[in-house]
Structure formats: structure tokens, C-alpha cells
Amino acid sequence: MTKDDLITIKGDRDGLHLFCQETALWSEVIAEIKERLTGEHQRFFAGASVIVEIGERNLAVEEVSTLWATLLECGVQIKGIKADTGEDSKATEKKSSFVSEKKISETEYLSQRPIYIMERNMRSGQNITFDGHVLVFGDVNPGAEIIAAGFIMVFGSLRGIAHAGATGDEKAWVMASRLQPTQLRIANCITRAPAEEPQGPEIAKIHEGAIICEMI
């Protein structure tokens, strides 16, 4: 397999699509993404909206965080992550009915759950309760609340209430550019944001029965 086989970049009206080779080592894919989007090509890709197509690959939380950090470093706008679960169209149609904010296609699922996408800030009093993952491209302000059966990813400041893994999934996680929730829950574990200001993007997950926060 050559380096050119690791990722394929195509553009359409939605932005750039990065198609990742499904069987290659994830570290090699990440290295190739960084090389292709920086260096002599950086001016061309700077500020572009990017959707990462991972096929049938299942990404662990550490792999998602590595991808996110790499794309931020490359100066592109992260529009989404798409995975192909191989589900039939009827099952896809049923799952898509959960999404009220924005319709998504049969490939926009990760870890066998639908993704709810909000492309604006959440104000006080607004809430999302969703049987899947939640992506917010904006800030979650104090008084706003997100409850998700899967993960929660906020491309902005998370200063409201977040409850990931609400149906008991202890492998769920919460990630934000600035993680400052008034209350943070994952499955049945609960905590509050530390008093100190975050120094960059962080991810919260359960480790040995407690929620820990780590820099990305």
C-alpha cells in the first residue's frame, strides 16, 4: 500500500471529503492527513470544511480525539465524521427519523448510533435529548442541556449541562474545545468542571469508576 492509498480527498458543495483507507494503521492515516493538509498545500486547504469518511472502521475515543486534534492543527473546519455501518435502507430511514435538527444520510453514523448535528449556539433554556451521539458546532451556554445515549462533542465552549451515555453506556465520552460544564455526567457518574480554566480541548471519560478529564 502506498501513501497515496491512505486517504483520498474529494470536494463538493458540502466541502472536502477525506476518505480514509479502512485497513491501514490509524497512526499512518493520521500522519498522511497531516502531511496532505499542511506544508505546501496548507494555503489551499486553510479554512475548508472537512468531512472525514471512515468507512466501516470503528474508532476508539482516543482515535477520534487524535483525528480532531490533527484537523484543528491543520486549520480546517471540522464538519463531521461519517461511518458506513452497512445497514439496509429501511433501518436507516427509521434511525434518521430521530433527527429533527438536520437530516443525515445512511453513512452518517458512528458506533452504530445516529448523530444529531446542531450548527448554532445553544442558549439558556434550550435542550437536546437524543438516542444517539450529539455534535454541536457552536457554544453550549449556561442553562442549556444535552442528554445523549452516546458521545457528546462540542466544537466550542461547553458551559451548560452535559449527560453522555444516558442509557448507561460507560464507554461514552464528552469532548469540547473548552470544557467548563456546570454539571457533567457520563452514564451514572457525575462531576462538575474544575475551578481552573481549561488550557485547550479536553475529553472527559470514565476511568476506574470516576470521570477524568484529559487534554487532547
Side-chain angles (χ1 to χ4, degrees):
M1 181 185 301
T2 66
K3 290 177 62 178
D4 291 339
D5 295 327
L6 292 173
I7 66 168
T8 302
I9 302 177
K10 296 182 179 180
D12 61 20
R13 64 182 182 181
D14 293 325
L16 294 178
H17 292 253
L18 271 59
F19 294 86
C20 302
Q21 214 287 332
E22 295 182 9
T23 59
L25 292 175
W26 189 241
S27 59
E28 295 178 347
V29 173
I30 290 294
E32 182 62 12
I33 289 174
K34 187 173 182 179
E35 181 174 336
R36 295 278 290 275
L37 298 185
T38 57
E40 63 184 43
H41 307 294
Q42 187 166 14
R43 180 175 296 181
F44 176 77
F45 291 118
S49 296
V50 172
I51 298 172
V52 181
E53 309 265 3
I54 63 173
E56 295 185 1
R57 182 192 293 267
N58 291 318
L59 294 183
V61 58
E62 292 82 5
E63 293 172 322
V64 175
S65 62
T66 299
L67 172 63
W68 187 27
T70 299
L71 293 176
L72 288 175
E73 184 180 347
C74 292
V76 298
Q77 299 178 16
I78 308 165
K79 192 169 184 180
I81 302 170
K82 292 185 180 180
D84 184 2
T85 63
E87 295 180 330
D88 61 37
S89 59
K90 288 185 178 180
T92 298
E93 183 179 351
K94 183 177 180 181
K95 282 191 173 182
S96 294
S97 67
F98 289 124
V99 182
S100 60
E101 189 64 27
K102 176 180 179 180
K103 281 203 170 184
I104 56 180
S105 72
E106 62 182 332
T107 59
E108 288 179 287
Y109 301 101
L110 193 61
S111 302
Q112 304 298 316
R113 291 185 184 273
I115 300 177
Y116 183 108
I117 303 172
M118 173 171 276
E119 296 181 311
R120 63 173 184 266
N121 296 333
M122 290 184 64
R123 302 186 304 274
S124 177
Q126 292 185 314
N127 65 80
I128 295 172
T129 300
F130 188 60
D131 186 19
H133 309 301
V134 174
L135 270 66
V136 178
F137 292 88
D139 296 330
V140 180
N141 290 307
E145 182 178 17
I146 301 174
I147 301 174
F151 67 68
I152 297 172
M153 184 181 291
V154 178
F155 295 95
S157 297
L158 172 52
R159 293 177 293 173
I161 297 172
H163 185 183
T167 55
D169 183 3
E170 295 188 352
K171 293 183 179 180
W173 43 270
V174 177
M175 187 186 299
S177 299
R178 295 183 66 82
L179 190 60
Q180 299 175 290
T182 52
Q183 184 185 97
L184 177 63
R185 295 183 64 182
I186 300 177
N188 295 318
C189 295
I190 186 170
T191 188
R192 292 182 179 273
E196 60 270 17
E197 289 283 324
Q199 300 302 307
E202 292 180 306
I203 185 167
K205 56 186 177 180
I206 293 178
H207 179 69
E208 295 182 350
I211 296 175
I212 62 169
C213 296
E214 299 176 338
M215 291 284 294
I216 298 174

PDB file of all heavy atoms in Angstrom, residues 14 25 57 62 69 88 90 93 95 105 118 134 150 171 181 192 196 198 203 215:
ATOM      1  N   ASP A  14     -20.556  20.577  -0.126  1.00  0.00           N
ATOM      2  CA  ASP A  14     -20.504  20.485   1.333  1.00  0.00           C
ATOM      3  C   ASP A  14     -19.110  20.734   1.885  1.00  0.00           C
ATOM      4  O   ASP A  14     -18.939  20.880   3.099  1.00  0.00           O
ATOM      5  CB  ASP A  14     -20.978  19.101   1.798  1.00  0.00           C
ATOM      6  CG  ASP A  14     -22.451  18.869   1.518  1.00  0.00           C
ATOM      7  OD1 ASP A  14     -23.212  19.850   1.610  1.00  0.00           O
ATOM      8  OD2 ASP A  14     -22.829  17.732   1.201  1.00  0.00           O
ATOM      9  N   LEU A  25      -3.143   1.226   9.382  1.00  0.00           N
ATOM     10  CA  LEU A  25      -2.995   1.659  10.761  1.00  0.00           C
ATOM     11  C   LEU A  25      -3.511   3.092  10.890  1.00  0.00           C
ATOM     12  O   LEU A  25      -3.233   3.939  10.041  1.00  0.00           O
ATOM     13  CB  LEU A  25      -1.535   1.599  11.204  1.00  0.00           C
ATOM     14  CG  LEU A  25      -0.903   0.214  11.329  1.00  0.00           C
ATOM     15  CD1 LEU A  25       0.579   0.333  11.653  1.00  0.00           C
ATOM     16  CD2 LEU A  25      -1.616  -0.597  12.402  1.00  0.00           C
ATOM     17  N   ARG A  57     -14.655   1.328   9.477  1.00  0.00           N
ATOM     18  CA  ARG A  57     -13.705   1.343  10.594  1.00  0.00           C
ATOM     19  C   ARG A  57     -14.416   1.803  11.863  1.00  0.00           C
ATOM     20  O   ARG A  57     -15.197   2.754  11.840  1.00  0.00           O
ATOM     21  CB  ARG A  57     -12.555   2.301  10.264  1.00  0.00           C
ATOM     22  CG  ARG A  57     -11.470   2.372  11.324  1.00  0.00           C
ATOM     23  CD  ARG A  57     -10.554   3.539  11.048  1.00  0.00           C
ATOM     24  NE  ARG A  57      -9.774   3.365   9.832  1.00  0.00           N
ATOM     25  CZ  ARG A  57      -8.549   2.847   9.792  1.00  0.00           C
ATOM     26  NH1 ARG A  57      -7.986   2.438  10.915  1.00  0.00           N
ATOM     27  NH2 ARG A  57      -7.903   2.745   8.644  1.00  0.00           N
ATOM     28  N   GLU A  62      -9.878   7.495  21.772  1.00  0.00           N
ATOM     29  CA  GLU A  62      -8.554   8.083  21.602  1.00  0.00           C
ATOM     30  C   GLU A  62      -8.277   8.391  20.135  1.00  0.00           C
ATOM     31  O   GLU A  62      -7.629   9.393  19.806  1.00  0.00           O
ATOM     32  CB  GLU A  62      -7.474   7.147  22.157  1.00  0.00           C
ATOM     33  CG  GLU A  62      -7.492   6.977  23.667  1.00  0.00           C
ATOM     34  CD  GLU A  62      -8.519   5.968  24.133  1.00  0.00           C
ATOM     35  OE1 GLU A  62      -9.166   5.320  23.262  1.00  0.00           O
ATOM     36  OE2 GLU A  62      -8.691   5.821  25.355  1.00  0.00           O
ATOM     37  N   ALA A  69      -7.806  16.636  17.004  1.00  0.00           N
ATOM     38  CA  ALA A  69      -6.660  17.499  17.284  1.00  0.00           C
ATOM     39  C   ALA A  69      -5.846  17.762  16.026  1.00  0.00           C
ATOM     40  O   ALA A  69      -5.363  18.879  15.800  1.00  0.00           O
ATOM     41  CB  ALA A  69      -5.789  16.860  18.360  1.00  0.00           C
ATOM     42  N   ASP A  88     -29.336  -1.684   6.142  1.00  0.00           N
ATOM     43  CA  ASP A  88     -30.219  -1.555   4.990  1.00  0.00           C
ATOM     44  C   ASP A  88     -30.981  -0.242   5.055  1.00  0.00           C
ATOM     45  O   ASP A  88     -31.017   0.442   6.064  1.00  0.00           O
ATOM     46  CB  ASP A  88     -31.179  -2.744   4.892  1.00  0.00           C
ATOM     47  CG  ASP A  88     -32.099  -2.897   6.100  1.00  0.00           C
ATOM     48  OD1 ASP A  88     -32.542  -1.862   6.639  1.00  0.00           O
ATOM     49  OD2 ASP A  88     -32.364  -4.042   6.482  1.00  0.00           O
ATOM     50  N   LYS A  90     -34.153   0.543   5.075  1.00  0.00           N
ATOM     51  CA  LYS A  90     -35.298   0.669   5.975  1.00  0.00           C
ATOM     52  C   LYS A  90     -34.833   0.981   7.377  1.00  0.00           C
ATOM     53  O   LYS A  90     -35.405   1.816   8.077  1.00  0.00           O
ATOM     54  CB  LYS A  90     -36.125  -0.622   5.964  1.00  0.00           C
ATOM     55  CG  LYS A  90     -36.903  -0.820   4.665  1.00  0.00           C
ATOM     56  CD  LYS A  90     -37.802  -2.039   4.747  1.00  0.00           C
ATOM     57  CE  LYS A  90     -38.619  -2.214   3.474  1.00  0.00           C
ATOM     58  NZ  LYS A  90     -39.492  -3.396   3.544  1.00  0.00           N
ATOM     59  N   GLU A  93     -33.707   4.585   7.429  1.00  0.00           N
ATOM     60  CA  GLU A  93     -34.827   5.522   7.433  1.00  0.00           C
ATOM     61  C   GLU A  93     -35.419   5.634   8.825  1.00  0.00           C
ATOM     62  O   GLU A  93     -35.758   6.721   9.281  1.00  0.00           O
ATOM     63  CB  GLU A  93     -35.877   5.058   6.438  1.00  0.00           C
ATOM     64  CG  GLU A  93     -37.054   6.006   6.308  1.00  0.00           C
ATOM     65  CD  GLU A  93     -38.059   5.518   5.286  1.00  0.00           C
ATOM     66  OE1 GLU A  93     -37.753   4.548   4.573  1.00  0.00           O
ATOM     67  OE2 GLU A  93     -39.140   6.112   5.222  1.00  0.00           O
ATOM     68  N   LYS A  95     -33.849   5.116  11.708  1.00  0.00           N
ATOM     69  CA  LYS A  95     -32.949   5.857  12.574  1.00  0.00           C
ATOM     70  C   LYS A  95     -32.951   7.343  12.243  1.00  0.00           C
ATOM     71  O   LYS A  95     -32.888   8.191  13.119  1.00  0.00           O
ATOM     72  CB  LYS A  95     -31.516   5.315  12.454  1.00  0.00           C
ATOM     73  CG  LYS A  95     -31.298   4.022  13.236  1.00  0.00           C
ATOM     74  CD  LYS A  95     -29.826   3.696  13.307  1.00  0.00           C
ATOM     75  CE  LYS A  95     -29.563   2.525  14.221  1.00  0.00           C
ATOM     76  NZ  LYS A  95     -28.136   2.218  14.344  1.00  0.00           N
ATOM     77  N   SER A 105     -27.562  11.269   6.118  1.00  0.00           N
ATOM     78  CA  SER A 105     -27.657  10.154   5.193  1.00  0.00           C
ATOM     79  C   SER A 105     -27.318   8.846   5.891  1.00  0.00           C
ATOM     80  O   SER A 105     -26.947   8.820   7.062  1.00  0.00           O
ATOM     81  CB  SER A 105     -26.678  10.375   4.034  1.00  0.00           C
ATOM     82  OG  SER A 105     -25.358  10.192   4.480  1.00  0.00           O
ATOM     83  N   MET A 118     -26.130  19.923  15.491  1.00  0.00           N
ATOM     84  CA  MET A 118     -26.649  21.286  15.659  1.00  0.00           C
ATOM     85  C   MET A 118     -25.564  22.254  15.225  1.00  0.00           C
ATOM     86  O   MET A 118     -24.425  22.185  15.709  1.00  0.00           O
ATOM     87  CB  MET A 118     -27.062  21.560  17.099  1.00  0.00           C
ATOM     88  CG  MET A 118     -27.443  23.021  17.345  1.00  0.00           C
ATOM     89  SD  MET A 118     -28.180  23.332  18.965  1.00  0.00           S
ATOM     90  CE  MET A 118     -29.896  22.908  18.630  1.00  0.00           C
ATOM     91  N   VAL A 134     -24.314  13.315  19.847  1.00  0.00           N
ATOM     92  CA  VAL A 134     -24.656  14.714  19.611  1.00  0.00           C
ATOM     93  C   VAL A 134     -23.400  15.508  19.276  1.00  0.00           C
ATOM     94  O   VAL A 134     -22.417  15.461  20.021  1.00  0.00           O
ATOM     95  CB  VAL A 134     -25.357  15.344  20.832  1.00  0.00           C
ATOM     96  CG1 VAL A 134     -25.563  16.843  20.612  1.00  0.00           C
ATOM     97  CG2 VAL A 134     -26.696  14.661  21.093  1.00  0.00           C
ATOM     98  N   GLY A 150     -25.179   8.369  23.426  1.00  0.00           N
ATOM     99  CA  GLY A 150     -23.802   8.126  23.009  1.00  0.00           C
ATOM    100  C   GLY A 150     -22.877   9.226  23.479  1.00  0.00           C
ATOM    101  O   GLY A 150     -23.030   9.761  24.577  1.00  0.00           O
ATOM    102  N   LYS A 171     -18.818   3.661  28.264  1.00  0.00           N
ATOM    103  CA  LYS A 171     -17.762   3.952  27.291  1.00  0.00           C
ATOM    104  C   LYS A 171     -18.013   5.276  26.565  1.00  0.00           C
ATOM    105  O   LYS A 171     -17.200   5.694  25.738  1.00  0.00           O
ATOM    106  CB  LYS A 171     -17.661   2.816  26.271  1.00  0.00           C
ATOM    107  CG  LYS A 171     -17.176   1.504  26.884  1.00  0.00           C
ATOM    108  CD  LYS A 171     -17.023   0.434  25.818  1.00  0.00           C
ATOM    109  CE  LYS A 171     -16.511  -0.868  26.431  1.00  0.00           C
ATOM    110  NZ  LYS A 171     -16.348  -1.942  25.405  1.00  0.00           N
ATOM    111  N   PRO A 181     -18.398  22.629  31.982  1.00  0.00           N
ATOM    112  CA  PRO A 181     -19.829  22.393  32.236  1.00  0.00           C
ATOM    113  C   PRO A 181     -20.225  22.737  33.669  1.00  0.00           C
ATOM    114  O   PRO A 181     -19.431  22.594  34.598  1.00  0.00           O
ATOM    115  CB  PRO A 181     -19.965  20.886  31.984  1.00  0.00           C
ATOM    116  CG  PRO A 181     -18.610  20.337  32.328  1.00  0.00           C
ATOM    117  CD  PRO A 181     -17.632  21.375  31.875  1.00  0.00           C
ATOM    118  N   ARG A 192     -18.437  18.005  38.377  1.00  0.00           N
ATOM    119  CA  ARG A 192     -18.511  19.384  37.924  1.00  0.00           C
ATOM    120  C   ARG A 192     -17.164  19.783  37.328  1.00  0.00           C
ATOM    121  O   ARG A 192     -16.154  19.115  37.549  1.00  0.00           O
ATOM    122  CB  ARG A 192     -18.870  20.323  39.083  1.00  0.00           C
ATOM    123  CG  ARG A 192     -20.288  20.125  39.594  1.00  0.00           C
ATOM    124  CD  ARG A 192     -20.616  21.108  40.710  1.00  0.00           C
ATOM    125  NE  ARG A 192     -21.987  20.927  41.180  1.00  0.00           N
ATOM    126  CZ  ARG A 192     -23.044  21.500  40.656  1.00  0.00           C
ATOM    127  NH1 ARG A 192     -22.891  22.322  39.622  1.00  0.00           N
ATOM    128  NH2 ARG A 192     -24.249  21.297  41.134  1.00  0.00           N
ATOM    129  N   GLU A 196     -10.085  25.645  37.733  1.00  0.00           N
ATOM    130  CA  GLU A 196      -9.123  26.265  36.840  1.00  0.00           C
ATOM    131  C   GLU A 196      -9.634  26.309  35.401  1.00  0.00           C
ATOM    132  O   GLU A 196     -10.427  25.474  34.978  1.00  0.00           O
ATOM    133  CB  GLU A 196      -7.776  25.543  36.889  1.00  0.00           C
ATOM    134  CG  GLU A 196      -7.817  24.089  36.491  1.00  0.00           C
ATOM    135  CD  GLU A 196      -8.074  23.157  37.672  1.00  0.00           C
ATOM    136  OE1 GLU A 196      -8.539  23.648  38.721  1.00  0.00           O
ATOM    137  OE2 GLU A 196      -7.797  21.948  37.526  1.00  0.00           O
ATOM    138  N   PRO A 198      -9.690  25.849  31.452  1.00  0.00           N
ATOM    139  CA  PRO A 198      -9.105  24.846  30.558  1.00  0.00           C
ATOM    140  C   PRO A 198      -8.015  25.474  29.687  1.00  0.00           C
ATOM    141  O   PRO A 198      -8.135  26.629  29.270  1.00  0.00           O
ATOM    142  CB  PRO A 198     -10.297  24.381  29.710  1.00  0.00           C
ATOM    143  CG  PRO A 198     -11.286  25.501  29.781  1.00  0.00           C
ATOM    144  CD  PRO A 198     -11.107  26.131  31.131  1.00  0.00           C
ATOM    145  N   ILE A 203     -11.117  16.046  26.823  1.00  0.00           N
ATOM    146  CA  ILE A 203     -12.080  14.961  26.726  1.00  0.00           C
ATOM    147  C   ILE A 203     -12.319  14.397  28.124  1.00  0.00           C
ATOM    148  O   ILE A 203     -11.383  14.256  28.917  1.00  0.00           O
ATOM    149  CB  ILE A 203     -11.589  13.860  25.766  1.00  0.00           C
ATOM    150  CG1 ILE A 203     -12.664  12.797  25.588  1.00  0.00           C
ATOM    151  CG2 ILE A 203     -10.282  13.231  26.229  1.00  0.00           C
ATOM    152  CD1 ILE A 203     -12.394  11.852  24.436  1.00  0.00           C
ATOM    153  N   MET A 215      -6.337  16.488  28.497  1.00  0.00           N
ATOM    154  CA  MET A 215      -6.070  17.351  27.357  1.00  0.00           C
ATOM    155  C   MET A 215      -5.934  16.504  26.110  1.00  0.00           C
ATOM    156  O   MET A 215      -5.428  15.380  26.140  1.00  0.00           O
ATOM    157  CB  MET A 215      -4.770  18.124  27.591  1.00  0.00           C
ATOM    158  CG  MET A 215      -4.847  19.165  28.682  1.00  0.00           C
ATOM    159  SD  MET A 215      -5.725  20.659  28.140  1.00  0.00           S
ATOM    160  CE  MET A 215      -4.588  21.275  26.895  1.00  0.00           C
TER     161      MET A 215
END
